[in-house]
Amino acid sequence: AGISLQSIKDAGFDYVILRIGIRLKADNTIRADYQFETFYKQAREAGLDVGGYFYSRAKSEAEAIEEANKIIEYTKGKKFEYPIYVDFEDSYTWPTRNSTTATKATTICYALMDKLADAGYLVGLYGYAGWFDDNYSGSWMASKLNNDIGKKYEFWIASYFENMKPENDKSKNYKNKYGMYQYTSSKKISGWSGSLDHNVCYKDYPSIVKQY
């Protein structure tokens, strides 16, 4: 809240990924992001391309389908040039990290993402390198994702290790494996005092999304 998306456009950026909604930890209910409608309108007025993400805490296939239906409801009638991402990072969802958990997580992600894909969206998965990238030790879902979900859907990875730049040695493989890479949460722009996540995109999503 408090930021004008025109200031993002004025700073030279081409697109924004807006939070569509979230499953709350406190009572397990789902709600739209309070700023989604406002930010979507501002992005359109500023001429920014738009994508979206939903912060998932689904612990079953049934909850995943529930989340997908809410995403479809919240985005009805809206146009997107970038994917709709499932943000699957919350440690609350997975108290232990092992092969059994990774298999269940993959099944849940598929339930959510398949439902969105069936509705016509270009779908992606977002998560931290520490969970999802097999070049990091202890990445508990890496093999499941890289061998399965990552081949079917888009992938957006985040790693803030020393606020890595895309050319950093530790991240040089990202361009070949992922569609988008988030490397800092500390980006500053003129006109707003807060910090923003910052990404580089390796694919021409506005062209790709036209299929959908």
Side-chain angles (χ1 to χ4, degrees):
I3 187 173
S4 167
L5 268 67
Q6 183 63 50
S7 64
I8 294 176
K9 179 69 172 180
D10 294 344
F13 295 98
D14 300 318
Y15 66 93
V16 288
I17 310 297
L18 304 177
R19 190 172 76 169
I20 297 166
I22 185 172
R23 181 183 288 275
L24 299 176
K25 182 177 179 179
D27 60 5
N28 207 40
T29 58
I30 299 170
R31 68 164 174 80
D33 186 281
Y34 293 138
Q35 298 296 319
F36 177 56
E37 293 289 341
T38 297
F39 285 162
Y40 179 85
K41 183 174 183 291
Q42 287 186 5
R44 286 287 162 238
E45 291 172 347
L48 289 162
D49 287 336
V50 179
Y53 77 93
F54 181 90
Y55 194 95
S56 174
R57 288 193 173 99
K59 291 179 286 186
S60 67
E61 292 179 66
E63 288 191 346
I65 295 297
E66 180 187 20
E67 291 180 355
N69 285 331
K70 286 294 186 181
I71 293 168
I72 293 167
E73 175 187 336
Y74 298 152
T75 59
K76 185 178 181 180
K78 294 180 171 59
K79 177 183 176 183
F80 297 91
E81 292 78 24
Y82 281 73
I84 301 299
Y85 291 97
V86 176
D87 182 342
F88 199 76
E89 64 176 280
D90 199 284
S91 58
Y92 166 79
T93 310
W94 306 111
T96 60
R97 302 181 184 183
N98 52 50
S99 59
T100 301
T101 303
T103 298
K104 184 177 181 182
T106 302
T107 300
I108 289 172
C109 285
Y110 255 135
L112 205 169
M113 298 168 79
D114 285 349
K115 179 73 173 180
L116 293 176
D118 288 345
Y121 296 85
L122 179 64
V123 184
L125 183 65
Y126 169 92
Y128 290 122
W131 289 40
F132 294 157
D133 186 55
D134 53 11
N135 288 307
Y136 283 70
S137 60
S139 299
W140 63 285
M141 281 183 67
S143 61
K144 291 290 181 183
L145 292 167
N146 289 332
N147 294 327
D148 199 358
I149 292 178
K151 291 183 178 180
K152 183 175 181 181
Y153 292 116
E154 300 302 314
F155 221 154
W156 175 17
I157 196 161
S159 181
Y160 300 162
F161 178 74
E162 297 179 352
N163 281 330
M164 291 195 307
K165 298 286 181 68
E167 64 270 18
N168 183 288
D169 284 343
K170 200 170 184 180
S171 61
K172 62 186 178 182
N173 68 315
Y174 288 171
K175 186 173 183 178
N176 297 321
K177 294 180 64 176
Y178 305 102
M180 194 154 63
Y181 166 40
Q182 186 177 100
Y183 66 83
T184 182
S185 59
S186 303
K187 184 70 176 179
K188 300 289 185 180
I189 63 168
S190 177
W192 195 58
S193 60
S195 297
L196 295 170
D197 297 340
H198 192 207
N199 306 278
V200 291
C201 187
Y202 302 123
K203 292 186 177 183
D204 181 5
Y205 280 122
S207 294
I208 296 170
V209 167
K210 286 179 180 178
Q211 302 174 56
Y212 294 82

